[in-house]
Amino acid sequence: MSFVLQLPMGEDEGRGRIKILYMQELFSAGFADTLLRFLLCFLINWIIVKFLYYKKSKRRDFFFTFMIISVAIFFLVYLMMGMDRGKATMGVGLGLFGIFSIMRYRTDTMPVREMTYLFVVVCLSVIHAMANSMGVDENGKMVGTPIIELMAIDTIVIAAIVMFERTLKVSASKLVQYDRIELVKPERRQELIADLEERLGLQIIKVEVGAIDFLRDMAIVRIYYQHEGIVDKDLNEKIKLKNTDYANI
């Protein structure tokens, strides 16, 4: 493939000159293969985020974060691989450590499920970016990472996520300040569950009674209930809500 550019010359010549620039002069070797791997990586990450993560969580902010990070990580690692192999590997490791340190130690902690999907997206981007371009060595043998091999890795990752998303279901729990302390007795547990189900509108599986305050006629109970979607675990563990917590409700 080639490109034709019109380059103006001096006035004495009176006309321009046509210069042919080949793709090898504009891009580095193997860049076409890199774009193919990027498109595959972007498609796989989009499938994982759109149909596996977003289908349950409905969090548009994390959807945007996952996709942009996947693009940035891919080209960052790709350009770093142009360095010496040892330096590039060390740089990629330090870069990933910095990313997860920011996510871990910021003010609002990221939920475990979101952190897991972020790790999957970053890992797939690194795998596709570090894969060697296809080529032929001096002995006439094919070298590099075939696209079909990357597709096999992507299929295994997607299959694992689908399997665990469908089979591992964790019951949600919530802390509740309960005012009818006469029902916290073990022999009246069924009445306690029935009262909580009527007042909360949840299908309760189990109830655990915690601290009891007889002066205020209040008890802290933990309820376990059936829930199909994703719940904010940090929010369910709180007794009193701050103003910033209402944004996640």
Side-chain angles (χ1 to χ4, degrees):
M1 185 176 180
S2 60
F3 298 88
V4 179
L5 298 180
Q6 181 74 32
L7 301 178
M9 301 299 294
E11 296 180 357
D12 54 339
E13 296 187 7
R15 59 180 180 177
R17 186 183 65 181
I18 302 298
K19 183 177 181 181
I20 305 294
L21 294 180
Y22 294 94
M23 178 173 283
Q24 290 81 356
E25 301 179 32
L26 297 177
F27 302 100
S28 59
F31 186 72
D33 185 60
T34 300
L35 290 180
L36 180 60
R37 287 187 279 114
F38 167 72
L39 292 177
L40 175 62
C41 176
F42 187 84
L43 176 62
I44 294 299
N45 285 330
W46 180 79
I47 291 175
I48 292 175
V49 176
K50 174 68 175 180
F51 297 102
L52 298 179
Y53 169 76
Y54 184 74
K55 185 178 180 180
K56 287 186 176 181
S57 64
K58 304 299 182 181
R59 294 290 300 272
R60 293 181 179 271
D61 51 349
F62 282 113
F63 191 111
F64 172 83
T65 300
F66 293 157
M67 296 309 301
I68 296 301
I69 284 183
S70 69
V71 175
I73 291 295
F74 180 91
F75 287 108
L76 175 64
V77 174
Y78 165 71
L79 293 176
M80 294 183 67
M81 291 305 296
M83 303 163 49
D84 180 71
R85 187 75 179 183
K87 295 181 180 179
T89 304
M90 182 181 299
V92 171
L94 292 176
L96 295 180
F97 176 78
I99 291 174
F100 286 103
S101 296
I102 294 174
M103 296 297 177
R104 175 64 182 85
Y105 295 108
R106 64 197 183 103
T107 304
D108 298 328
T109 58
M110 178 180 290
V112 176
R113 186 171 183 267
E114 277 70 16
M115 182 67 73
T116 303
Y117 273 95
L118 175 63
F119 185 77
V120 170
V121 167
V122 171
C123 287
L124 289 179
S125 300
V126 172
I127 291 173
H128 286 74
M130 295 186 69
N132 295 324
S133 301
M134 294 295 296
V136 180
D137 60 5
E138 62 275 5
N139 297 323
K141 296 182 179 180
M142 296 295 296
V143 295
T145 306
I147 294 296
I148 191 65
E149 185 174 329
L150 295 176
M151 295 176 64
I153 295 175
D154 297 333
T155 303
I156 294 173
V157 172
I158 293 178
I161 296 176
V162 171
M163 180 180 65
F164 289 115
E165 282 280 11
R166 292 185 177 181
T167 57
L168 298 180
K169 296 183 179 180
V170 181
S171 60
S173 64
K174 183 188 296 289
L175 288 177
V176 177
Q177 285 183 324
Y178 190 64
D179 54 351
R180 299 184 62 184
I181 60 175
E182 67 274 6
L183 298 182
V184 300
K185 299 178 181 179
E187 60 270 16
R188 304 188 66 177
R189 188 56 49 88
Q190 293 302 321
E191 297 181 55
L192 173 62
I193 294 177
D195 183 60
L196 287 171
E197 287 183 339
E198 180 181 357
R199 299 169 70 175
L200 298 176
L202 301 173
Q203 186 175 356
I204 299 176
I205 303 173
K206 183 177 67 172
V207 174
E208 295 178 352
V209 179
I212 300 176
D213 189 346
F214 287 104
L215 296 178
R216 300 181 180 178
D217 289 335
M218 182 189 68
I220 303 298
V221 297
R222 178 183 294 276
I223 63 171
Y224 296 87
Y225 59 96
Q226 294 183 354
H227 188 78
E228 296 296 333
I230 302 299
V231 297
D232 192 333
K233 185 177 180 181
D234 295 333
L235 192 61
N236 282 342
E237 295 295 322
K238 295 182 179 181
I239 297 300
K240 295 183 178 180
L241 299 180
K242 301 177 182 179
N243 292 332
T244 56
D245 295 328
Y246 289 97
N248 298 326
I249 299 178

